[in-house]
Amino acid sequence: MAIVGKKFPNLEVNAMNEMGDTFKLNVLEEAQKNKKKVLLFWYPKDFTFVCPTELHAFQAALGEFEKRNTLVIGASCDTAEVHFAWLSTAKDNGGIEGVTYPLLADSNRNLAATLGILDVTNEEYNEETGIVTVEGDNVTYRATYLIDEEGTVFHEGINHMPLGRNVNEFLRLVDAYTHVQEKGEVCPANWEEGKDAMQANAKGTAEYLASHVN
């Protein structure tokens, strides 16, 4: 279910910070009340393999997101207590000690199910036993959402479990969307901050192609 161009779901979810505090967090409200963009990234499980590399990569880029008026929030279906255990585990033991942005603990899967990002297939109902079975781990794929200051989603993407993300691409997307907001121009393929954008009309396209495409 694509939600680009729509408001992010208005749901409150448990979250954990690096101090061990459990609190309620509503992603939509975080964007709107703080007048900031939000990058929300989901990962499958705490204490796994690709996941800590991503959490540390987003932490390393946190200052760059902050420069762009963008909040970073991680999320999985683990409990807040498991999040804190992982936050308390050193890097050299597979942990995420040093991560300072909040982590959603969507253990009841309310938000993940609303977004449609859970690894669940082939749901079957047994009429004799009344038992419902599914295939899959019922954890999230590597889904990423970029949300603007009004709470509207301007990017969503989903990677399969083995595929880690490129953090720099999300910085580029934030830059591009900010350029659109501020300049009213659109950003062509491979656009980066400082490069030419274009007017969203036939003349603008013709001029851009004439001067930039061999």
Side-chain angles (χ1 to χ4, degrees), residues 51 96 106 165-166 192:
C51 296
I96 57 167
D106 189 31
R165 283 161 281 210
N166 183 335
E192 294 176 346

Side-chain angles (χ1 to χ4, degrees), residues 94-170:
I96 57 167
E97 186 177 31
V99 166
T100 60
Y101 49 82
L103 301 178
L104 297 187
D106 189 31
S107 55
N108 58 19
R109 290 159 172 75
N110 285 343
L111 183 53
T114 299
L115 295 169
I117 57 174
L118 289 166
D119 172 26
V120 177
T121 58
N122 298 327
E123 183 173 314
E124 292 186 4
Y125 174 69
N126 186 311
E127 292 185 359
E128 291 184 7
T129 64
I131 294 174
V132 177
T133 60
V134 299
E135 294 180 12
D137 289 337
N138 203 23
V139 298
T140 66
Y141 295 107
R142 299 187 191 280
T144 315
Y145 298 88
L146 289 172
I147 302 151
D148 72 13
E149 297 85 348
E150 303 300 321
T152 301
V153 177
F154 65 91
H155 167 83
E156 64 178 318
I158 303 176
N159 288 9
H160 207 342
M161 311 294 189
L163 306 176
R165 283 161 281 210
N166 183 335
V167 173
N168 288 331
E169 172 62 4
F170 301 111

Side-chain angles (χ1 to χ4, degrees), residues 1 13 25 27 29 31 42 70 72 79 90 94 123 125 129 133 145 156 167 183 188 195 206:
M1 180 184 67
V13 183
L25 193 153
V27 175
E29 289 183 355
W42 294 80
T70 301
V72 174
T79 65
E123 183 173 314
Y125 174 69
T129 64
T133 60
Y145 298 88
E156 64 178 318
V167 173
K183 306 293 186 183
K195 290 187 175 181

Side-chain angles (χ1 to χ4, degrees), residues 44-56:
K45 300 177 186 178
D46 292 355
F47 291 99
T48 51
F49 319 112
V50 175
C51 296
T53 69
E54 291 194 310
L55 272 80
H56 286 300

